[in-house]
Structures are given as structure tokens and as C-alpha cells.
Amino acid sequence: NESKAKNLLNDIDNLEEKINEIVKNQHWKYMSSFEGFMEDIRAELLEKVNNLKRQEKDKLKNENLHLITCERDFYKQESIRLNLICKELHSKNENLINESKFLTMDNKNLSSKWKESEKINKHLLIELERNIEKIALLESKE
């Protein structure tokens, strides 16, 4: 009986070792498949984070591009507006320069006519004074 009990205890010990080995083996298989699964999830999460970062960068890039485009369009319109104003002012300036030239020529012309008329008036005054003297002499002879 004792030997049967010892054999039974040995068989139980052997069975326990085999069960422990199977459990240990199954545990490692489970853990390695779990680790592989976790690596896949980790890689997937990393890819999603990178996609979100890339989308955020693209969004910022698009917003900056839109802002730059709006600024460019504003400055382009402002440049066109200022160019039109400059052309208008340039045209007015040219007109004023031409008008000034015309007035200067007119002033010179009037000035020369005035000097000429002064000379004529002097000659006429001298002629008039001579005629008055002649009339006075003729009247005094009568």
C-alpha cells in the first residue's frame, strides 16, 4: 500500500509537473500572441497619430496658404488702385505743366504787346504834343 501511495504521489507530482509545463507553455504562447497583438495595436495607433499630425500640418499649411493668398490679392488690388491714382495725378500734372507753359507764353506775348503799345503811346503822345503846339501857334497867329 505504501508503495502504491508513493507511486500515486509520484504520478501526482509528475502530473503536476506536466500540467505546470503545459500551463507555462500555453502562457508563453498566449503572451507572445498577446504581445504581437499589442504591437499591431501600438503600430496602428502610431500610424493614426502620425496621420492626425500630418492632417493638422496640412490644415495649418492650407490656412497659411489661404491667408497669404488673401494678403496677396489685397495688395494686388491696392497696387492697382494706387497705380490708377498715380496715373490720374500724372495726367493732371502734365495738364498743369502744359497750362503753365501756355500761360507763360501768353504772359510773354502780353508783356511784349504791352511794351510795344507803350512805345506807340509815347510816339502818339509826342505827336499829340506837337500837334497841340502847332494848333496853339496857329491860334495865336490868328
Side-chain angles (χ1 to χ4, degrees):
N1 271 340
E2 235 180 89
S3 79
K4 274 188 178 184
K6 277 188 179 183
N7 282 339
L8 205 55
L9 281 175
N10 276 338
D11 287 342
I12 290 173
D13 283 340
N14 285 339
L15 191 58
E16 184 181 357
E17 283 177 24
K18 285 181 182 179
I19 290 173
N20 282 338
E21 259 184 62
I22 291 172
V23 167
K24 200 180 207 183
N25 211 2
Q26 290 298 324
H27 176 73
W28 285 112
K29 284 181 184 178
Y30 172 77
M31 287 307 285
S32 28
S33 72
F34 180 73
E35 283 177 4
F37 177 70
M38 289 306 291
E39 282 299 318
D40 290 345
I41 290 176
R42 195 174 294 124
E44 201 176 310
L45 285 174
L46 186 61
E47 183 181 334
K48 287 183 180 187
V49 166
N50 287 336
N51 281 340
L52 286 174
K53 285 180 182 178
R54 191 172 26 261
Q55 286 174 357
E56 186 64 27
K57 279 183 182 178
D58 288 345
K59 181 182 172 190
L60 285 174
K61 185 174 99 177
N62 288 338
E63 287 173 356
N64 286 337
L65 183 64
H66 178 71
L67 179 65
I68 289 170
T69 303
C70 288
E71 285 178 354
R72 180 205 62 200
D73 292 345
F74 169 77
Y75 286 116
K76 182 179 178 183
Q77 290 300 321
E78 193 63 11
S79 173
I80 291 170
R81 184 184 73 82
L82 292 174
N83 189 37
L84 289 174
I85 290 171
C86 286
K87 284 181 179 180
E88 183 180 325
L89 290 175
H90 182 72
S91 175
K92 284 181 181 179
N93 188 38
E94 289 294 320
N95 289 340
L96 289 173
I97 288 171
N98 289 336
E99 189 177 329
S100 172
K101 286 179 183 177
F102 174 77
L103 289 174
T104 301
M105 285 175 37
D106 194 38
N107 190 19
K108 285 181 182 178
N109 190 20
L110 287 174
S111 179
S112 70
K113 285 183 180 179
W114 180 46
K115 286 179 183 177
E116 191 178 314
S117 72
E118 278 184 334
K119 287 179 186 176
I120 292 172
N121 282 343
K122 273 186 183 179
H123 290 298
L124 286 174
L125 186 61
I126 292 171
E127 182 88 23
L128 181 63
E129 286 175 352
R130 277 190 207 153
N131 285 339
I132 289 174
E133 284 176 10
K134 283 182 185 178
I135 292 175
L137 275 176
L138 286 175
E139 283 178 354
S140 67
K141 284 186 184 178
E142 292 179 2

